[in-house]
Amino acid sequence: MFRGLKPLLLAGTAVALAGCSAPADPQVTFYSHGQAVEVAPAQYCDALGEKCSPPPAEPIGKLRVPGREPLQISVPSDVAEAPWQVAFIYRTTSGEEVGGKTEVFTGGDRHAYTLQLPGDGVQFEHVEVQRFSALLSPGTEGGVDFVIGGSWILDVNP
């Protein structure tokens, strides 16, 4: 009489427990040359730079980006709704490492960015999406500092 009840109770318990789990940290997608990789944040804190998640076991994504190929970056709403930017390092044909940053994107309307290399023979080495958090400055009335509250790191293979 109660044989069918046990599987139903177990299934209901699993659904209830799944609904109670904490939401996953947002993933950033990097795409180039027909391949994509989703990367978990190396660091992820709330909008005030507090309540930080522990870093994952593998905090750095890896992707092959051949020379001359652009790198497309897609961020979820959790990132796009805060100020964010892309920091990068590339190597020139003479072997010099050069770093740079994009403008800071604000307003929540930009969910993607395409990073282009500045010239022939230049190769990406490292790319990082940085989401900013607001931090109240102690000792200043109404002062706010912005700190990197989330970062998603990609090491690039040629």
Side-chain angles (χ1 to χ4, degrees):
M1 177 170 155
F2 296 105
R3 285 185 196 187
L5 189 57
K6 186 174 181 181
L8 289 175
L9 287 174
L10 291 175
T13 301
V15 169
L17 288 175
C20 294
S21 65
D25 290 337
Q27 307 273 309
V28 168
T29 302
F30 296 91
Y31 174 87
S32 182
H33 200 63
Q35 300 292 316
V37 62
E38 283 191 348
V39 177
Q43 171 186 341
Y44 189 72
C45 304
D46 66 10
L48 297 176
E50 301 171 347
K51 298 179 186 170
C52 301
S53 299
E58 292 292 326
I60 298 174
K62 295 185 184 331
L63 183 67
R64 183 176 175 269
V65 182
R68 292 187 161 176
E69 293 291 326
L71 177 65
Q72 297 172 338
I73 301 165
S74 178
V75 302
S77 294
D78 289 359
V79 176
E81 290 171 358
W84 66 283
Q85 71 180 4
V86 179
F88 53 90
I89 296 173
Y90 62 88
R91 187 171 298 278
T92 66
T93 55
S94 66
E96 177 186 6
E97 279 191 353
V98 178
K101 294 180 181 180
T102 65
E103 64 185 276
V104 175
F105 308 116
T106 60
D109 56 349
R110 182 153 210 157
H111 287 80
Y113 182 77
T114 300
L115 189 58
Q116 298 278 356
L117 287 166
D120 287 345
V122 175
Q123 179 63 53
F124 285 122
E125 290 203 343
H126 180 85
V127 179
E128 182 175 348
V129 171
Q130 301 171 334
R131 192 206 79 206
F132 293 96
S133 294
L135 186 64
L136 296 177
S137 298
T140 60
E141 196 170 313
V144 176
D145 288 328
F146 288 94
V147 296
I148 297 171
S151 63
W152 294 259
I153 301 170
L154 179 73
D155 277 344
V156 178
N157 300 321

